Amino acid sequence: MTDPHDGTWVEGTAAELVADAMALGVEKVSTRMVADWVGDGLLASPGFRKSTRHGSDERVFSPEQRWLFTELLKARQRSSLKRIPHHTLTRMVLYLWLVEDTVVPTEQARRAWRTYARATGRHTGPGRRRLAQRVVEQLAHPEATYRQRRTALLLIEAGEKSKQPDWEKLSPVIAQLASPWLVPGTPRIERSLGPAWLPGTATQLVGMWWATQQVTELLLNKRIKEPVLDEVRAVFRASWSDYQARRAGMAAASGEYGRMFAPPASAEARIKETVEAFVGELAGVLGFITAAMEAADAGAVPERRSTPKRDPALGRPKSPVIHEPTIPDLSR
């Protein structure tokens, strides 16, 4: 990857970006495509360049954005897939926004988060079935019955299809899948999942799924303002850096669960992990994780919020945000 600040990049119009693409051998490219990329957050909005007394020239993209456009096209060309979905390129844009400040402005990132949220949980029928089967296999107690497994599978699959899981039904079903001895009206003793130093219950895992979905809906509707995104990004950078320094020790202390803390094997996987971890940070700072954990302790489902509610102590959520992948990928 080249350096956007090496002095070789200059401002460019949409037409010049198209010329850059054609020079790379990209055939299906047009100024309409450039405009679509702006709308999806893959590019920032071009700025005005006034050079006469009577008006402005055609809008131009910054040198950094011209570089970004070229790098995204190169990444698309390197892929073995015939068609690269937008959400894959979107994660690259969001990763750049998370790790540095000079290429992707927050107004662009906000649109990119909307594109990311729009693609979240989008699966084909077979894909939803495989996801549901994987979750059931991960959570099911050896003594779970066929009926318990089947019920959980169908509810997860239905929730993925509608993107509106029935939390009132799903939470107790998942709890009984993991702890088959649970009976309504009796003392609630759930099986612990995960390493001994980071225990969790199936009810808490469903709560984390709920918290992630709440954040995804807010991102989809652009209801998280730019200043909040900037503040949470600053918190995330510190906590994510701390996790990277500690993850090897966490793996060593986790026995059979050590694989949960293994670093990603590829650059694409690292980008995906980082972007998803930021969604978890948002869920913590906006108070959704706290609400989920409090409800889980009571064996209930959190109440749906109509508006985001920031934690009064920004950066220090009441319920600590753990970035390590400790729950099944329920929202994918």
Side-chain angles (χ1 to χ4, degrees):
M1 183 177 288
T2 59
D3 183 353
H5 311 298
D6 62 6
T8 62
W9 296 92
V10 296
E11 296 177 334
T13 64
E16 288 172 325
L17 264 62
V18 170
D20 291 343
M22 296 181 69
L24 290 174
V26 179
E27 297 179 354
K28 295 182 179 180
V29 61
S30 64
T31 55
R32 174 61 184 272
M33 187 194 87
V34 173
D36 288 343
W37 279 30
V38 171
D40 288 334
L42 295 177
L43 292 173
S45 300
F48 287 105
R49 182 177 61 185
K50 185 175 178 62
S51 62
T52 69
R53 294 179 56 187
H54 303 291
S56 299
D57 292 341
E58 186 177 356
R59 290 191 175 197
V60 293
F61 293 89
S62 69
E64 293 80 9
Q65 288 288 308
R66 192 171 182 176
W67 169 87
L68 176 61
F69 180 68
T70 301
E71 290 300 324
L72 290 175
L73 289 175
K74 288 179 180 178
R76 199 170 68 169
Q77 287 179 316
R78 288 193 297 268
S79 174
S80 59
L81 300 176
K82 292 184 178 180
R83 182 180 181 278
I84 305 300
H86 260 19
H87 68 265
T88 299
L89 296 178
T90 302
R91 281 199 292 259
M92 296 176 62
V93 171
L94 292 172
Y95 179 80
L96 282 173
W97 175 76
L98 285 169
V99 301
E100 66 95 64
D101 299 320
T102 62
V103 174
V104 179
T106 304
E107 60 87 15
Q108 175 190 353
R110 193 166 176 233
R111 293 196 304 276
W113 279 117
R114 179 183 59 188
T115 302
Y116 170 86
R118 188 184 300 136
T120 297
R122 184 177 296 173
H123 292 290
T124 62
R128 290 191 295 269
R129 174 57 60 89
R130 287 192 297 271
L131 171 64
Q133 290 173 335
R134 187 167 67 248
V135 172
V136 169
E137 289 172 1
Q138 288 175 340
L139 298 182
H141 188 277
E143 296 180 5
T145 65
Y146 171 81
R147 182 174 181 178
Q148 288 171 327
R149 295 169 186 265
R150 179 68 176 171
T151 302
L153 182 99
L154 293 176
L155 281 174
I156 294 170
E157 199 172 347
E160 284 294 298
K161 182 177 182 179
S162 67
K163 295 190 178 183
Q164 294 293 331
D166 189 334
W167 302 109
E168 294 289 345
K169 291 182 179 179
L170 185 62
S171 185
V173 165
I174 294 295
Q176 287 192 323
L177 176 72
S179 306
W181 53 82
L182 288 176
V183 178
T186 62
R188 189 178 186 85
I189 303 176
E190 287 194 55
R191 179 167 64 105
S192 176
L193 305 169
W197 62 270
L198 189 65
T201 66
T203 303
Q204 290 175 331
L205 300 186
V206 173
M208 292 293 291
W209 182 11
W210 172 87
T212 300
Q213 191 205 46
Q214 306 312 301
V215 171
T216 301
E217 288 186 9
L218 295 177
L219 292 171
L220 178 62
N221 295 300
K222 296 179 67 177
R223 291 179 57 198
I224 301 179
K225 304 299 184 183
E226 291 174 24
V228 175
L229 288 173
D230 283 335
E231 289 181 71
V232 178
R233 177 176 60 171
V235 173
F236 172 76
R237 285 175 176 174
S239 60
W240 191 239
S241 176
D242 177 66
Y243 169 58
Q244 297 306 317
R246 294 186 298 117
R247 72 188 302 170
M250 291 176 172
S254 300
E256 63 178 304
Y257 296 100
R259 65 185 182 280
M260 299 191 322
F261 308 101
S266 66
E268 183 179 352
R270 183 175 69 251
I271 289 171
K272 183 175 183 288
E273 178 191 58
T274 305
V275 171
E276 291 178 352
F278 179 77
V279 175
E281 190 80 68
L282 275 173
V285 173
L286 296 178
F288 291 120
I289 291 179
T290 297
M293 296 303 102
E294 290 176 349
D297 289 343
V301 176
E303 293 183 4
R304 182 182 178 85
R305 291 180 181 168
S306 58
T307 56
K309 181 181 179 181
R310 289 176 63 187
D311 192 302
L314 179 65
R316 290 184 289 109
K318 301 172 191 173
S319 178
V321 178
I322 304 296
H323 294 299
E324 41 270 29
T326 59
I327 62 174
D329 194 3
L330 296 173
S331 63
R332 284 284 166 207

